[in-house]
């Protein structure tokens, strides 16, 4: 694939990949950085692209992996007043309660076995259709829908148990 063809792919899909990472990270700066990194990796690995997979899904998968690598590299303690950029006007008690609930949800999500975790993330954060998710896994649209709803129920049940 030549440079001009890849630039066309970049133009067509950058906003989708950016929005996906923005949903995951909540940060426009991180989303831009990760989306750019993902396209660099995609350019290097375009020869490995399977034509039975949707290109947008493949690019989002690369971006997600880049984002997880970024998170591993950035593990550090953030002062309470700097967490998530700001406390959003909440009292310290409300802020801690909200963060605790988010932490429980995050922990519950990451304890999900595969493919539940992956399907949940692709649907909830990546905003992929059930058809796109099914295609990514080589399964049906119905399989993706059922798997997503089972994952959601598992996260909800675990959240209720931990209250």
């Amino acid at each position: 694939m030549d440079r001009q063809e890849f630039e066309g792919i970049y133009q067509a899909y950058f906003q989708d990949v950016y929005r996906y990472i923005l949903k995951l990270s909540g940060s426009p700066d991180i989303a831009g950085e990760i989306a750019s990194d993902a396209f660099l990796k995609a350019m290097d690995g375009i020869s490995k692209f399977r034509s039975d997979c949707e290109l947008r899904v493949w690019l989002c998968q690369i971006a997600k992996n880049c984002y997880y690598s970024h998170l591993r590299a950035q593990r550090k303690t953030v002062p309470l007043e700097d967490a998530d950029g700001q406390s959003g006007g909440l009292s310290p008690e409300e802020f801690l309660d909200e963060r605790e609930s988010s932490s429980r949800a995050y922990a519950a999500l990451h304890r999900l076995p595969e493919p539940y975790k992956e399907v949940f993330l692709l649907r909830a954060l990546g905003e992929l259709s059930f058809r796109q998710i099914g295609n990514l896994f080589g399964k049906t649209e119905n399989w993706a829908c059922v798997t997503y709803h089972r994952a959601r129920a598992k996260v909800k049940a675990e959240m209720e148990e931990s209250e």
Side-chain angles (χ1 to χ4, degrees):
M1 175 173 288
D2 69 11
R3 179 180 169 92
Q4 191 172 20
E5 287 176 308
F6 196 81
E7 284 179 15
I9 291 171
Y10 179 87
Q11 293 296 324
Y13 295 101
F14 182 83
Q15 285 301 313
D16 291 335
V17 173
Y18 172 83
R19 282 192 301 271
Y20 173 64
I21 298 301
L22 183 60
K23 287 269 190 185
L24 285 175
S25 69
S27 167
D29 292 335
I30 290 173
E33 178 183 331
I34 298 299
S36 295
D37 288 349
F39 275 92
L40 287 174
K41 288 188 188 253
M43 189 168 60
D44 290 340
I46 195 75
S47 64
K48 297 175 188 169
F49 174 68
R50 297 184 342 248
S51 61
D52 63 330
C53 178
E54 185 177 332
L55 188 56
R56 177 179 175 254
V57 173
W58 182 69
L59 292 167
C60 285
Q61 186 77 18
I62 292 170
K64 182 193 67 150
N65 291 338
C66 289
Y67 178 63
Y68 287 157
S69 295
H70 169 79
L71 288 179
R72 282 190 296 276
Q74 296 298 318
R75 282 194 183 146
K76 61 183 178 181
T77 304
V78 178
L80 184 58
E81 62 273 11
D82 290 340
D84 297 327
Q86 57 188 15
S87 67
L90 301 174
S91 72
E93 293 82 11
E94 291 170 327
F95 180 72
L96 289 173
D97 286 344
E98 189 174 294
R99 283 187 54 91
E100 182 180 320
S101 177
S102 294
S103 294
R104 285 195 334 263
Y106 182 79
L109 175 62
H110 286 280
R111 280 192 290 273
L112 282 177
E114 293 298 345
Y116 296 107
K117 178 173 43 175
E118 184 76 13
V119 169
F120 187 90
L121 288 170
L122 290 170
R123 177 68 178 173
L125 300 176
E127 298 180 350
L128 297 182
S129 70
F130 290 125
R131 177 182 292 166
Q132 291 169 320
I133 295 169
N135 287 341
L136 180 65
F137 284 90
K139 306 280 186 175
T140 66
E141 183 175 346
N142 188 54
W143 173 89
C145 182
V146 169
T147 303
Y148 168 76
H149 287 289
R150 286 180 181 166
R152 191 172 149 211
K154 289 174 185 277
V155 169
K156 184 177 179 184
E158 190 167 329
M159 292 283 299
E160 290 170 354
E161 287 176 16
S162 68
E163 285 182 354

